[in-house]
Amino acid sequence: MSAATHRLTTAQALVRFLSAQYTERDGVRRRLITGTWGVFGHGNVAGIGQALVEYAAVMPYHQGRNEQAMVHAAVGHARQLNRLSAQAVTTSIGPGATNLVTGAALATVNRLPVLLLPGDYFASRVADPLLQQLEHPVEADVSVNDTLRPVSRYFDRITRPEALIPSALNAMRVLADPAETGAVTLALPQDVQAEAYDWPEEFFTERVWPVRRPAPDPAELAAAVAAVRAARRPLIVAGGGIHHSEAEQALKALVDATGIPVASTQAGKGSLRHDHPADLGGIGHTGTAVSDELARTADLVIGVGTRYTDFTTASGTLFQHPEVRFLNLNITGFDAHKLAAHTLVCDARTGLEQLAGALAGHRVEPSYEAEYRAGKERWERVVETAYRADDDSAVPTQTQVIGALDAVVGDEDVVINAAGSLPGDLHKLWRSRSPRQYHLEYGYSCMGYEIPAALGVQQAAPGTPVWALVGDGTYLMNPTEIVTAVQENLPVKLVLIQNHGYASIGGLSESVGAERFGTAYRHRAADGTFTGAPLPVDLAANAASLGMDVLRAKTVRELHNALAEARGSDRPTCVYVETDPAPTAPPAEAWWDVPVAEVSAREAAVRARARYDSEAAGRRRHL
C-alpha cells in the first residue's frame, strides 16, 4: 500500500471519495453518486458546503428548497436508473435534519438508495448546548439525527475524521447492494466536517461496486419447476423487483413460452406492455376485475420481486383457492418467504431465465388462456368507457383526465404519482407502454412526492417528457420544488387536478362511517362542519408565481390541447384543470382492511361496521 496521503478536511475527503465511486452490472459501469442536493445552514455550510465548492468540477450540486423534497428527488432519480445510481442529500442540523425522516422512510420502504448527510452537533462538545440542540437528560450522545436510525438501512455518526473511512465504504456497500439498499445516513458533526486529516491516497482511487445477479439454488429451482408444472391455474404477480433487475424481457419470454398470465402491483406495473395478451393490469384492492377474478381462483401464485402489501393481497382476502400455494422469486429471503411460499432467492432476471429454461415445453391449458384473454377484453371496454367523453365541451372527470393524458403521451414518457385517488384510478386504467413509464410511489404513498420526484427523473432522463400528476391536496403539501425546476431548467410537466378536497380519503371516510369529516376544502359553517362554499384558492396562480408556465383547461377539448402543448414545451409547464367530482372510476374489485369503530351512536358507523365484519370474515392466513 502506498504511504502517500492527502491533507483535507473530513467534508472535502467525503465529497472527493463519493466522486470516485461506481457501480457495475452486466459489464456496464455507472457513477454511483451522480450529484448532491443541499439546503445550507449552520451544521453543513462551512463543511460540506465548502467541500462542494472545492470539488464542484467533479460533484454536481443541486439547490433544493425543502429537505424532504430533496430526498424525494433523489429517490425518483434512483428509481429511474434502476437503482444503479443514487444521489446524496446534505442538510443543516436541527429541523433541516429531521425534515429528512419522511423521505428516508419512503426510500427504505421502497428499497431505493439515497445517501443522507445531515449536519450534527459538535463532537468535541466545546459548544454545548448549541443552537437547535435537543438536550437529552441521560443520553448525551443522542441528537435529533437519531430519528433517522429506524428508517435507514445503514447509520453512523462520524465523530473522528478517520472513522469516515470504514463508514464510507459500508455506506457504498449498502447503497449498491440490491438486497440491502435503502436510505443510508452518515451524520456529520459540524466540527469534524471542518477538521483536517492526512487521508491515504487509496481512499480516493476509483472503486467499482458490483451489482450482483445471484442465481437460484438448484434444489429451490427444481421445486419451483415442479410446482409450476403441477398448477392448473398459475398467476404471476409482478412487483417492482422486475424493473430494478431490468427483467422485463425475461418475464416476457417466460410468459410467451408458458402462457402464464401476469397481474402487477403498483411498483410492477409495466413489467409487460399493456397490450400483451397475458397482461391483466393491476391486482388487489385497486386491481382490475380480470386480475382479481383470476387471483381468487389461482392455485399457484408466483410472486416476482413483490413485497405483498395489504393492497396486493386485499388484506388477506384475495387468494381464495382452497389449495392455493405461493412461489416467490425475490432477491431477499425476507420477502421470498412471505405467505409460507416456496422460495427462489435470486436476482429476478436470472431467476426468470432459469425458470423459463427449466420449463421448456410446458404451457397452461388452452381453456385457461381463453378465459383470461376474454376477461382482458371485457376490462378494456371498461377502460374505454372511463376514458370516453361524449361531450368534449364538458368539464372533465378525473378518469377523462387520465384518458386525455393517455392519448397524448408517447412510449418514452414517464408518469409520476403517489397518493390520493389517482393511484387507484391509474392502477386500474393506465395503459403502460414501457417499463419506466408508470412511476407510482405506493410503498409509502407519500403526498408531496410527485413534483420533486419528477425533477430527479428528469435529471436521470434528459429529453424525456416527465409528468407529475397531483391533486390539490398533494400540491398544497409540497409545491416548492417548482422553483428548483425553473432554476435548473428542468422542463417537467405538472398536471394539477383541482377537486377542492381530499377525494380519496373523503371516499374512504364515508365508507368507514366517518362521514367525510375534515376532507373538504370549504369554509367552516356555523355548526362546525365544512359545508360552506369552496375556498377562494387559485393554485394555478400559485404555480405561475413560482415560475411555471400555466395552461388552464376548463373542458375536455381544452384539456387535450393543453396537454399536447405542455408535452412540446421546453420549460416547466403546468396544466391546471378543475374536474367534475362525480366518481367515474370502476369500483374496487377487492377489499382493504381499515378497521371501523366497533361501537358507535351514529348510524353511518354502525352500518359500516356490519360491512366490515362481513368482509373481514373472508380473511385467510396462508400457512
Side-chain angles (χ1 to χ4, degrees), residues 12-234:
Q12 291 164 356
L14 176 58
V15 172
R16 185 171 167 185
F17 168 83
L18 293 177
S19 71
Q21 306 304 302
Y22 295 84
T23 63
E24 185 172 277
R25 186 167 72 180
D26 303 330
V28 179
R29 181 181 296 192
R30 299 168 177 84
R31 176 87 172 255
L32 176 50
I33 305 298
T34 64
T36 298
W37 290 88
V39 173
F40 294 115
H42 88 101
N44 71 337
V45 66
I48 291 291
Q50 188 282 328
L52 289 169
V53 173
E54 190 96 12
Y55 294 106
V58 294
M59 178 57 69
Y61 165 70
H62 310 295
Q63 185 180 40
R65 268 73 198 174
N66 173 283
E67 292 87 357
Q68 177 181 320
M70 294 192 298
V71 186
H72 293 336
V75 167
H77 185 83
R79 176 169 168 173
Q80 180 68 19
L81 296 174
N82 298 319
R83 307 192 302 185
L84 298 171
S85 292
Q87 292 178 320
V89 178
T90 179
T91 72
S92 64
I93 68 174
T98 52
N99 280 350
L100 296 173
V101 174
T102 295
L106 181 148
T108 296
V109 164
N110 286 285
R111 321 292 209 261
L112 292 166
V114 61
L115 176 62
L116 307 179
L117 305 173
D120 213 325
Y121 312 147
F122 284 82
S124 62
R125 312 287 177 86
V126 295
D128 183 55
L130 69 155
L131 179 65
Q132 299 177 326
Q133 180 170 345
L134 174 72
E135 294 184 89
H136 196 288
V138 295
E139 293 182 87
D141 63 339
V142 168
S143 84
V144 296
N145 287 337
D146 287 277
T147 59
L148 288 160
R149 288 183 184 271
V151 292
S152 297
R153 294 293 290 171
Y154 180 82
F155 178 99
D156 196 10
R157 179 176 286 114
I158 311 302
T159 56
R160 292 287 306 150
E162 59 267 35
L164 176 66
I165 295 175
S167 188
L169 293 171
N170 274 318
M172 297 304 104
R173 172 187 59 79
V174 173
L175 288 171
D177 190 319
E180 296 295 327
T181 196
V184 168
T185 300
L186 299 182
L188 303 169
Q190 58 180 313
D191 53 344
V192 177
Q193 288 183 47
E195 187 175 346
Y197 181 74
D198 293 322
W199 303 88
E201 183 176 6
E202 288 81 6
F203 188 55
F204 306 115
T205 57
E206 287 190 1
R207 192 178 302 268
V208 178
W209 300 87
V211 180
R212 297 179 291 276
R213 290 194 180 277
D217 177 82
E220 286 194 337
L221 180 61
V225 170
V228 176
R229 289 188 180 276
R232 297 179 62 83
R233 300 181 64 82

Side-chain angles (χ1 to χ4, degrees), residues 11 74 88 104 119 203 217 231 245 269 311 361 371 456 487 489 509 512 527 552 561 573:
F203 188 55
D217 177 82
S245 177
K269 195 171 170 75
F311 257 58
E371 176 187 342
Q487 180 180 41
N489 195 31
S509 173
V512 298
D527 64 357
R552 294 177 184 258
N561 293 338
T573 303

Side-chain angles (χ1 to χ4, degrees), residues 5 155 206 208 217 235 259 276 280 284 292 296 303 333 355 365 429 450 471 476 619:
T5 60
F155 178 99
E206 287 190 1
V208 178
D217 177 82
L235 174 67
H276 190 286
L280 308 183
D292 288 350
R296 292 185 180 96
L355 188 61
E365 295 178 0
L429 303 173
E450 296 91 337
L476 287 168
R619 185 189 290 114

Side-chain angles (χ1 to χ4, degrees), residues 222-347:
V225 170
V228 176
R229 289 188 180 276
R232 297 179 62 83
R233 300 181 64 82
L235 174 67
I236 293 172
V237 175
I242 290 177
H243 294 312
H244 300 329
S245 177
E246 299 175 302
E248 297 88 0
Q249 287 303 311
L251 175 67
K252 182 177 182 298
L254 173 67
V255 170
D256 288 344
T258 63
I260 300 173
V262 176
S264 301
T265 68
Q266 286 279 17
K269 195 171 170 75
S271 294
L272 289 180
R273 271 185 63 100
H274 75 94
D275 52 3
H276 190 286
D279 179 67
L280 308 183
I283 189 171
H285 177 63
T286 54
T288 68
V290 58
S291 287
D292 288 350
E293 286 167 6
L294 259 67
R296 292 185 180 96
T297 60
D299 57 358
L300 179 68
V301 179
I302 306 168
V304 184
T306 178
R307 299 188 301 122
Y308 284 113
T309 68
D310 58 344
F311 257 58
T312 298
T313 67
S315 300
T317 65
L318 186 58
F319 305 111
Q320 288 295 328
H321 191 288
E323 298 178 4
V324 64
R325 301 300 296 170
F326 295 84
L327 166 62
N328 292 338
L329 191 165
N330 205 292
I331 197 151
T332 70
F334 175 81
D335 288 314
H337 281 86
K338 289 176 179 176
L339 302 175
H342 298 293
T343 60
L344 273 179
V345 181
C346 59
D347 169 71

Side-chain angles (χ1 to χ4, degrees), residues 18 26 62 172 194 253 290 380 397 420-421 426 474 482 490 502 545:
L18 293 177
D26 303 330
H62 310 295
M172 297 304 104
V290 58
E380 186 59 30
T397 65
S421 58
L426 289 163
T474 289
I482 287 174
L490 296 170
Y502 299 118
S545 76

